[in-house]
Amino acid sequence: MQTGPGDNEIIDRVLRGEQALYAHLVKRYQNFVFTIALRYTPNREDAEEISQDVFVKAYRSLADFRGESKFSTWLYTIVTTTCITFLRKKKVTIHSLDNEHIFEAADNQNSAFKANQVEQKSKAKAINEAIKLLSVDDARIITLFYQAEQSLEEIGRIIGIDPNTAKVKLHRARVRLKEKMERYYSEIVDELTS
Amino acid sequence: MSKQQNIEERLWEYIDGRCSAEDRLFINELIATNQEWKTKYQELLELQNLLSHELQLDEPSMRFTQNIMEAISKHHIAPAAKSYINKRIVWGIAGFFICSIIGLLIAGMAQVNWSAATTSSTQIDLSKLNNVNFSGFFNTTYTTIFMMINVVLGLVVLDMYLNRKKQAYRNKEAS
C-alpha cells in the first residue's frame, strides 16, 4: 500500500528542484525494479547495476514523464529497454528453459532437491523457485502482472505489444508455470489440489 | 486448441474477471454442475492465490538508494524533449520530402506517352509504363548538383541546430 505523497506530486516537486525527494520514488519502486531486472539476469550484481542505471535514467528524463500513464508503467518501460541494452552489451545469452537439455539438468538437480528439501519447502518458496525455471518472457509477464500490479494494457505498453497479445502471453506463462509446479513441486501441487 | 486448453483459457478469463456477464453465468453453472470444470477451477484458483499472495520481491543492497542519490547529484534533469524539438523544423523537413515526391511524380507523369495508351484496345498495356525515362531524370548533372546543395544545406541547418542546443545547455549549466 502506497503511503506518503503520490508519485505525480513527488515528480512535480523534484522537477521544481527538490532533488532529495527522488529518494521516496527510489525506495517505493526499488524492489519492483530489482525483481524485474533479476528476471533478465540471474546475477544480483548485474541486476543491481541495471536497477541503478534505470533510476538515474528515469531521473534525467523526468521532465519527459507527462503523467499520461502511471509512473510505475513509465519506469518499467525504462527497465525493459535498459535490461535489453545491458544484455546486448554484455552479450549474455537469454536461455529458454523450454530447452530439453536444461530440463534434463533441472531434473537431475531436482531429484536431489526432492529427496532432501521439498517436504520442508513452503508454498511461497516453491512458487518463487518455479518462476525462476521459466523463460525470461514468461517470468517477466508474471512479475509485471502479479507483483508490479500492471494491467494487460499497461504490460502491452511496457513491452511494446498489443494488450490481446499480452493476454495470450500471460495465459501461456501461467500454463507453463503450472507445468513446472506439477513437474518439480508435485508434492506441493498435490497438497494444493487435495 | 485442445478441450483442456480451452477450459483453462476460459477459466483464467473468469478468474481475472475479464469475461462477459453472459460467459460468467455460463461458467458459474459449469463449475457448479460439471466435475471436470470444478476440479480445474479449484486447481487454477489455488495457483492464482499463490501468485497473488506468495510471490516475493527481491531486495537490492542496503546502500541502493544512497548510491542512486549520489549518482543523480552529478546529473541535471534534461529538458523535456518537446521543449527543444522545434516543430517548424520537423514540418520543414516533411514539407521538403513531400514536395520532392510530388515533383518527381509530376515529372514522371509528364514523360508518359498518354496518346499511345488511348489508341490501343480497351486493355491497359502495362509495358507502356516503361516509357518513363527515369535514368535520364536521375543521371543529369543538374540533379546531382541539386542533391548536393540539399545535402550541404541540410548539414548546415543540423550544425546550427546542434550548436544552439549545446549553447543553451552550457548556459543552463553555468546559471
Side-chain angles (χ1 to χ4, degrees), chain B:
Chain B
M1 190 188 281
S2 74
K3 189 186 163 197
Q4 279 292 320
Q5 280 176 314
N6 188 33
I7 293 176
E8 276 199 20
E9 198 170 337
R10 293 183 71 183
L11 280 172
W12 275 123
E13 289 210 337
Y14 174 81
I15 291 167
D16 289 341
R18 296 182 74 89
C19 59
S20 65
E22 204 176 290
D23 269 0
R24 177 156 282 276
L25 279 175
F26 182 65
I27 293 170
N28 264 339
E29 205 180 309
L30 278 169
I31 292 168
T33 56
N34 186 316
Q35 191 55 41
E36 189 186 5
W37 278 74
K38 191 179 172 184
T39 314
K40 189 57 82 185
Y41 173 65
Q42 280 168 347
E43 231 177 273
L44 299 186
L45 201 60
E46 288 292 349
L47 183 60
Q48 171 77 1
N49 286 338
L50 274 180
L51 285 166
S52 303
H53 307 297
E54 305 289 352
L55 282 184
Q56 291 154 352
L57 288 168
D58 289 277
E59 283 178 34
S61 64
M62 301 281 279
R63 267 191 60 87
F64 186 79
T65 310
Q66 211 177 329
N67 287 343
I68 288 167
M69 295 312 286
E70 279 168 15
I72 65 165
S73 65
K74 297 170 201 151
H75 294 281
H76 288 279
I77 298 174
K82 66 177 177 189
S83 68
Y84 61 80
I85 292 176
N86 190 338
K87 278 192 177 168
R88 272 182 294 183
I89 292 176
V90 177
W91 282 112
I93 294 168
F96 170 75
F97 280 109
I98 291 167
C99 287
S100 304
I101 291 166
I102 292 171
L104 282 171
L105 278 173
I106 291 169
M109 294 287 197
Q111 289 186 46
V112 177
N113 186 357
W114 296 105
S115 60
T118 50
T119 53
S120 65
S121 61
T122 49
Q123 276 194 329
I124 297 168
D125 185 1
L126 290 175
S127 65
K128 298 280 186 209
L129 283 175
N130 293 334
N131 290 340
V132 183
N133 186 7
F134 285 108
S135 59
F137 189 69
F138 283 110
N139 287 336
T140 59
T141 318
Y142 294 115
T143 315
T144 315
I145 291 168
F146 175 72
M147 295 304 281
M148 287 300 289
I149 290 170
N150 272 309
V151 169
V152 171
L153 280 175
L155 287 171
V156 168
V157 170
L158 184 70
D159 184 56
M160 279 164 62
Y161 169 68
L162 290 175
N163 267 336
R164 209 181 306 156
K165 212 178 126 188
K166 200 168 142 191
Q167 196 58 43
Y169 185 72
R170 275 187 188 158
N171 290 343
K172 201 182 169 192
E173 289 268 289
S175 62

Side-chain angles (χ1 to χ4, degrees), chain A residues 93-100 102-103 133-136 138:
Chain A
T93 318
I94 300 171
H95 295 289
S96 164
L97 285 163
D98 293 334
N99 181 312
E100 279 293 315
I102 294 167
F103 264 139
L133 292 173
L134 292 174
S135 68
V136 171
D138 290 347

Side-chain angles (χ1 to χ4, degrees), chain A residues 45-57:
Chain A
E45 283 77 35
D46 285 349
E48 192 152 327
E49 196 184 323
I50 292 169
S51 308
Q52 286 192 14
D53 198 17
V54 166
F55 281 108
V56 173
K57 273 185 190 167

